[in-house]
Amino acid sequence: MTEWELPRSFQAATGEVRWNRLGDGPEAVVLLHGTPFSSYVWRAVARALASRFTVHVWDMPGYGLSEQRTGQDVSLAAQGRTFGELLAHWGLDRPAVVAHDIGGAVALRAHLLHGVDYHRLALVDPVALAPWGSPFFRLVGEHAPVFEQLPPALHAALVREYVSSASSPGLRPDVLDRLVEPWLGERGQPAFYRQIAQADQRHTDEIERAYDSVRAPTLVCWGRDDAWIPAERGRDLASRIPGSRLKLLDGAGHLVQEDAPAELTTELLAFLTRP
């Protein structure tokens, strides 16, 4: 199955959020995606976890199926506040959270700055430690208005190449098409550069010194072949969170969910069901 729909919506301060709930287990698990992705990358893991848990998935404002608009605040600070709004809307108290890439920063900000507590926290190749952002990412961030004016065909080629580099073995063409699609067209192209332009390292600098105050049992998973954020960052992050455990996944790049979904699901299930 490659279909992935988010039929439910929530009007957050930053825009309409599309979301869905899978399974009806006694405990809640919330999945957070990263950039420039969407909840689509969690489809295999979410369906597997739904056999044991009630799984909540959502696209952050500015991403995937959620609202994209001119002037939209899609910063990490805004996403952290939106996540708190969503948890309140869902009525979830101390859910388990699994967060990838900037989703990790969003979950950590909500926890450390906004008092949101988790039953367990799994961080998958998260954006958490400075410095972050590839040379390409920084170049685009500094010149976003110029890149927004690229001809659509050149923009599409750039996004495809960028997204492709997140996988170590390579993405299937249909998966790559689905990940690129939200960033195309009159709304998608400026939205792609908007989210990069607003990605400010100060939003992780604000919380980096507080990682020793994380209050939830924590698992750090990392693709051993991650070309975006080296696995050494995973070792560093795990050393800063008391009692956390690091698991490196062989043959996986930054998009662990696509490169090693079975291995990642196995680790998550063991962590989430631990007594």
Side-chain angles (χ1 to χ4, degrees), residues 88-215:
H89 174 68
W90 291 333
L92 297 184
D93 181 29
R94 299 184 70 247
V97 168
V98 181
H100 176 243
D101 188 76
I102 65 163
V106 170
L108 286 166
R109 285 185 63 88
H111 180 59
L112 295 170
L113 297 181
H114 306 306
V116 177
D117 282 321
Y118 309 133
H119 175 59
R120 296 185 187 276
L121 175 63
L123 299 169
V124 182
D125 298 65
V127 170
L129 298 174
W132 49 268
S134 66
F136 165 80
F137 196 89
R138 291 192 293 271
L139 176 67
V140 171
E142 294 167 0
H143 304 284
V146 176
F147 280 90
E148 285 183 28
Q149 299 176 54
L150 283 175
L154 287 179
H155 164 73
L158 182 151
V159 177
R160 290 182 69 86
E161 181 64 26
Y162 180 53
V163 171
S164 295
S165 69
S167 170
S168 178
L171 298 169
R172 294 200 326 259
D174 61 317
V175 172
L176 180 58
D177 288 345
R178 180 66 183 262
L179 293 177
V180 170
E181 182 182 8
W183 304 119
L184 304 180
E186 293 183 1
R187 287 194 314 162
Q189 181 164 340
F192 178 77
Y193 300 111
R194 183 182 307 123
Q195 53 92 18
I196 294 179
Q198 293 186 31
D200 194 328
Q201 186 178 290
R202 68 185 173 89
H203 291 138
T204 54
D205 291 344
E206 290 173 354
I207 58 174
E208 191 171 321
R209 293 183 180 179
Y211 292 158
D212 61 356
S213 300
V214 170
R215 301 180 295 278

Side-chain angles (χ1 to χ4, degrees), residues 39-74:
S39 62
Y40 178 75
V41 299
W42 284 119
R43 65 199 180 284
V45 175
R47 288 166 177 151
L49 293 180
S51 65
R52 300 283 297 274
F53 304 94
T54 299
V55 180
H56 292 73
V57 293
W58 62 295
D59 285 354
M60 297 182 193
Y63 294 79
L65 299 175
S66 289
E67 183 177 355
Q68 297 173 330
R69 69 168 188 267
T70 301
Q72 189 174 23
D73 186 353
V74 293

Side-chain angles (χ1 to χ4, degrees), residues 245-259:
R245 183 173 67 88
L246 172 67
K247 176 63 179 180
L248 299 180
L249 298 177
D250 293 331
H254 188 66
L255 264 180
V256 181
Q257 307 96 318
E258 299 292 344
D259 293 353

